[in-house]
């Protein structure tokens, strides 16, 4: 029997590809979703396809009332301006940052190399906890995230360790492998990994099924590198 989870309410902004799939992940984990849209009727129609009472369609303003807020809108579509208008409402809350700052044709980012959407968000909302998550999971892979090598990784970034743990806990019944990938500034690496993956999947013909998974393991006691033999000449 599945262990019960504490039910949390997450407000999602937007009703696009990621919004719907992450709503599905949250519902699967026993949480409630306020699905916010510029067109609440659209959000209500999507909500009606989930199990009764799990997802409620509403406006952005209503979704922003939740203790956890997940903006699923592109930076290029004015997300920062929208959040700046609601900075007071977001005080003391946790924002789940899934942003990759892609330009219109996905050939690059609208932000320079020496920053990230995660850092810009944290600067914009200094009284809000910002946790980077799911940046590397392409929407097409949520339905079948199992690769031959295993489930893909989700790299989690942020400067508040407790907030990172709380956000990972929201998805404890999800099949992904969640890895603490460092502080807010490390979102630079994670976001650029998404851009690199997008380029690779086109080049390799893996589109849309591509994901990141780190290979590695702790060292085994007494394990020797066979190449030591060549350099041990004393
Ligand atoms: N696509 C991916 O595979 C992927 C992976 C990881 C992270 N992300 C990130 O997730 C976020 C959402 O990506 P997505 O692919 O889910 O986007 P999407 O399918 O294009 O949906 C974006 C949503 O944003 C809302 N929106 C608000 N203002 C808008 C405007 N001016 N123009 C268009 N839409 C507007 C719309 O919802 P309403 O009409 O309901 O308001 C729309 O459904 C992005 O920041 C992206 O970087 C995406």
């Amino acid at each position: 029997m599945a262990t019960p989870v504490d039910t949390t309410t997450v407000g999602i902004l937007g009703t696009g590809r990621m919004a719907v799939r992450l709503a599905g992940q949250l519902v699967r984990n026993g949480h409630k979703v306020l699905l916010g849209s510029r067109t609440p009727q659209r959000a209500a129609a999507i909500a009606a396809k989930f199990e009764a009472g799990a997802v409620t369609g509403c406006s952005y303003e209503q979704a922003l009332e939740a203790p956890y807020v997940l903006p699923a809108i592109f930076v290029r579509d004015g997300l920062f301006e929208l959040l700046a208008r609601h900075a007071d409402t977001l005080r003391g809350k946790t924002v789940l940052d899934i942003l990759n700052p892609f330009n219109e044709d996905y050939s690059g980012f609208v932000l320079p190399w020496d920053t990230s959407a995660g850092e810009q968000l944290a600067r914009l909302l200094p009284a809000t906890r910002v946790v980077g998550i799911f940046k590397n999971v392409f929407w097409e892979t949520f339905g079948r995230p199992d690769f031959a090598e295993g489930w893909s990784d989700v790299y989690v970034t942020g400067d508040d360790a407790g907030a990172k743990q709380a956000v990972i806990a929201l998805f404890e019944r999800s099949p992904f492998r969640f890895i603490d990938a460092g502080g807010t500034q490390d979102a630079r690496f994670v976001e650029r990994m998404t851009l690199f993956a997008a380029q690779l999947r086109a080049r390799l013909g893996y589109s849309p099924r591509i994901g990141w998974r780190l290979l590695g393991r702790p060292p085994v006691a007494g394990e020797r590198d066979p190449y030591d033999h060549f350099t041990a000449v004393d």
Side-chain angles (χ1 to χ4, degrees):
M1 201 171 68
T3 43
V5 290
D6 290 336
T7 300
T8 302
T9 301
V10 179
I12 297 182
L13 309 181
T15 55
R17 299 168 295 191
M18 291 296 280
V20 169
R21 285 159 181 84
L22 287 168
Q25 291 292 319
L26 289 161
V27 169
R28 171 188 183 144
N29 278 275
H31 304 301
K32 303 273 188 214
V33 172
L34 293 175
L35 188 65
S37 176
R38 294 171 296 177
T39 319
Q41 310 91 289
R42 171 179 161 78
I46 293 170
K49 296 179 182 170
F50 286 89
E51 66 188 62
V55 180
T56 305
C58 59
S59 64
Y60 287 165
E61 286 71 18
Q62 289 166 310
L64 280 155
E65 293 301 325
Y68 291 85
V69 175
L70 190 164
I73 300 171
F74 277 96
V75 171
R76 63 174 189 244
D77 287 333
L79 175 64
F80 288 160
E81 293 77 1
L82 171 73
L83 294 179
R85 289 198 295 278
H86 294 285
D88 281 345
T89 309
L90 288 165
R91 288 179 85 83
K93 299 187 178 192
T94 301
V95 165
L96 279 65
D97 158 31
I98 66 166
L99 310 175
N100 297 301
F102 275 104
N103 59 15
E104 285 290 343
D105 66 7
Y106 296 89
S107 60
F109 281 175
V110 296
L111 296 176
W113 282 87
D114 60 352
T115 188
S116 60
E119 288 164 89
Q120 296 299 316
L121 201 53
R123 197 164 298 141
L124 185 70
L125 304 172
T128 302
R129 293 177 285 272
V130 175
V131 176
I133 194 163
F134 285 114
K135 289 175 186 270
N136 290 145
V137 183
F138 288 101
W139 67 272
E140 298 98 327
T141 60
F142 275 95
R144 290 196 52 206
D146 51 323
F147 295 88
E149 299 81 4
W151 303 97
S152 62
D153 289 338
V154 173
Y155 301 111
V156 184
T157 53
D159 292 336
D160 185 321
K164 278 194 284 194
Q165 284 312 311
V167 168
I168 291 171
L170 290 176
F171 298 97
E172 66 185 355
R173 287 184 186 165
S174 297
F176 299 97
R177 187 174 68 161
F178 293 86
I179 293 183
D180 186 334
T184 300
Q185 188 171 310
D186 294 303
R188 291 179 195 188
F189 299 120
V190 182
E191 292 173 18
R192 292 280 168 185
M193 284 165 69
T194 309
L195 179 58
F196 187 43
Q199 292 173 357
L200 283 178
R201 73 179 187 170
R203 190 165 295 134
L204 300 174
Y206 287 2
S207 186
R209 294 190 50 70
I210 192 167
W212 285 106
R213 187 172 172 90
L214 185 72
L215 302 180
R217 59 169 170 76
V220 174
E223 191 176 26
R224 293 191 52 168
D225 181 340
Y227 285 94
D228 284 351
H229 168 69
F230 294 97
T231 51
V233 291
D234 293 342

